[in-house]
Amino acid sequence: MIPVTKAYLPEKEKYQSYVSDIFDRAWLTNNGCLLQELEQRLTQHLGVRNLILVANGSLALQLAYKALGLTGEIITTPFSFAATTSTLVWEGLTPVFADIDPHTFNLDPANIAAQITSNTTAIVPVHVFGNPCAVEAIQKVADQHQLKVIYDAAHAFDTQYKGQSVLNYGDISTLSFHATKLFHTIEGGAVITNDDQLAAKIRLLINFGISGPSKIESLGTNAKMSEFQAAMGLCVLDEIDNIKQQRAKVWHKYVEDLTKVVSFQQWSQHSDNNYAYAPVLFESEQQLLEAEAYLKQNNILPRRYFHPSLDTLTYLKAKQICKHSRDIASRILCLPIYPTLNEREQNIILNVLKGLYQGNSDQMLSFSVC
Ligand SMILES: *Cc1c(COP(=O)(O)O)cnc(C)c1O
């Protein structure tokens, strides 16, 4: 079976040696030395000012909203993973969707401006599949209306924009380090900000608001990352360049072989792909469903990221229709991409898709993965 992604696992002995050290110290969580080491290394690796490791990417978003004191309506994108919207609702905020640009799949700044009301306090864009948003245009809209900007940068690990980390834009950026992400800590995430005071506030929030022995300074929650997760992060970070190189190879082969079959996301001119995902766009949903079915018959499991468009969520009170997001969501498929996907396996995927396009669907069924 070929899944859409496989979590990268380091050498078992290397991870075990970290675990053995954790046992010796008997310090399992609460700002342990592995967590501190990972925070330092990630801060440097990404080129950011403040990075706070947390338990997962969803909590990273919730902490960002809380730390900035957001209220009322938040303008966000319907073309994302469920968490971008669910975290807003969970924090008592009202998501208001602006439509995406049908080529970049990111929020269209002109559509953001059109959704602003007197109740709007912030914009939560997503760098979808790691593709940087129109960050300058978004900041301009935010400045004109005194809105905060929180980037859900869950896909944008190692994404550079005009020569620096895209995480440096906006008031806060958040990362997810879930096992399926480009860089992972099994479960985990981070909050990134240039504002030192905001960073100090978030450090309080992640540990129940406790600032010292017998001192509870503010409301807080538990969003701490453990030493076992930090150990995984240290192992994966050692290999991140290799991981990206291997993913790049897979990605370029998809682009070379499939240009006539599908279309691709339009990437920012000021940035390079980080190869976190391999999304391809079909001409129609019908064509996508056919391709998905044939891939499944050949034991290949792509995923419909992101489908459904979040403006169709039934738990939301306000009903909105974002035309471009619904259209893209209906036609997009993420193909398998991970470091251990070998050439033979990728050729099967490519042959199935090319065969479908040429109408040789019977022949395709003879390809086999195992
Ligand atoms: C993965 C993801 C999240 C949530 O991160 P978790 O670590 O799984 O909580 C949020 N937003 C986007 C866009 C994601 O892809």
Side-chain angles (χ1 to χ4, degrees):
M1 193 194 74
I2 304 176
V4 66
T5 191
K6 255 186 200 170
Y8 173 83
L9 283 170
E11 274 177 40
K12 208 190 271 180
E13 292 71 27
K14 187 170 184 177
Y15 187 69
Q16 279 169 339
S17 114
Y18 275 111
V19 170
S20 162
D21 291 346
I22 297 171
F23 273 63
D24 290 345
R25 285 189 294 267
W27 188 319
L28 310 187
T29 186
N30 287 49
N31 207 23
C33 64
L34 296 182
L35 177 122
Q36 288 181 28
E37 187 183 339
L38 183 61
E39 274 193 353
Q40 268 168 21
R41 280 187 57 190
L42 282 173
T43 304
Q44 203 170 33
H45 175 91
L46 297 168
V48 296
R49 184 169 171 85
N50 297 288
L51 179 146
I52 300 130
L53 286 169
V54 296
N56 60 60
S58 301
L59 274 167
L61 284 166
Q62 288 172 236
L63 290 157
Y65 311 150
K66 267 277 193 319
L68 290 168
L70 303 188
T71 58
E73 295 172 7
I74 313 296
I75 297 171
T76 188
T77 173
F79 187 68
S80 182
F81 183 60
T84 311
T85 288
S86 67
T87 49
L88 289 168
V89 177
W90 201 265
E91 289 297 325
L93 300 162
T94 305
V96 174
F97 297 113
D99 208 350
I100 57 167
D101 175 299
H103 306 289
T104 66
F105 310 159
N106 283 329
L107 272 182
D108 181 340
N111 293 341
I112 295 174
Q115 299 295 335
I116 295 172
T117 72
S118 57
N119 292 324
T120 310
T121 59
I123 309 168
V124 178
V126 178
H127 304 298
V128 173
F129 304 128
N131 186 27
C133 289
V135 286
E136 283 110 354
I138 290 173
Q139 195 58 52
K140 205 168 149 196
V141 174
D143 289 344
Q144 274 165 1
H145 299 271
Q146 285 158 2
L147 306 176
K148 301 289 185 192
V149 182
I150 300 100
Y151 283 104
D152 179 346
H155 306 162
F157 188 86
D158 264 0
T159 295
Q160 300 284 110
Y161 180 82
K162 293 190 177 174
Q164 66 159 314
S165 175
V166 77
L167 304 170
N168 287 325
Y169 289 84
D171 295 279
I172 292 180
S173 290
T174 64
L175 288 167
S176 164
F177 300 150
H178 182 258
T180 56
K181 303 298 207 263
L182 180 59
F183 167 82
H184 80 93
T185 60
I186 311 169
E187 292 273 2
V191 183
I192 291 102
T193 179
N194 290 317
D195 182 330
D196 296 349
Q197 269 185 322
L198 203 52
K201 191 166 172 185
I202 292 162
R203 287 197 184 281
L204 269 181
L205 292 182
I206 67 170
N207 189 32
F208 313 99
I210 295 172
S211 59
S214 297
K215 185 144 190 248
I216 304 167
E217 200 168 311
S218 74
L219 176 69
T221 185
N222 178 5
K224 301 187 301 297
M225 178 184 279
S226 79
E227 289 290 273
F228 294 87
Q229 293 164 289
M232 180 59 80
L234 288 167
C235 292
V236 178
L237 192 55
D238 284 341
E239 296 301 322
I240 194 68
D241 288 341
N242 292 332
I243 292 171
K244 271 174 35 188
Q245 238 169 48
Q246 287 166 301
R247 284 170 163 272
K249 230 174 92 184
V250 173
W251 163 254
H252 287 297
K253 198 163 161 58
Y254 278 136
V255 175
E256 275 164 33
D257 280 36
L258 294 177
T259 40
K260 289 196 188 129
V261 185
V262 291
S263 52
F264 293 87
Q265 180 182 27
Q266 182 188 311
W267 206 267
S268 165
Q269 293 174 334
H270 305 292
S271 175
D272 291 326
N273 202 317
N274 65 354
Y275 310 108
Y277 297 87
V280 297
L281 198 60
F282 290 85
E283 267 174 28
S284 65
E285 183 166 28
Q286 184 56 33
Q287 211 185 65
L288 174 145
L289 292 172
E290 272 169 31
E292 190 189 26
Y294 283 122
L295 288 166
K296 277 187 179 159
Q297 280 171 23
N298 287 276
N299 285 323
I300 300 155
L301 302 179
R303 280 291 297 271
R304 295 187 72 179
Y305 287 146
F306 290 99
H307 182 264
S309 178
L310 300 176
D311 58 329
T312 64
L313 286 173
T314 51
Y315 66 74
L316 295 176
K317 287 195 192 89
K319 302 296 170 220
Q320 282 181 269
I321 296 173
C322 295
K323 200 177 71 190
H324 291 312
S325 178
R326 289 190 186 195
D327 173 49
I328 299 296
S330 75
R331 298 190 285 125
I332 199 160
L333 197 63
C334 280
L335 299 178
I337 186 166
Y338 47 90
T340 54
L341 183 73
N342 64 41
E343 221 175 299
R344 190 182 59 86
E345 292 169 321
Q346 194 179 11
N347 279 331
I348 296 168
I349 300 168
L350 291 167
N351 286 333
V352 170
L353 289 171
K354 286 190 285 192
L356 179 75
Y357 185 69
Q358 287 151 8
N360 301 330
S361 44
D362 292 343
Q363 212 178 315
M364 280 183 293
L365 305 181
S366 62
F367 292 110
S368 157
V369 176
C370 303

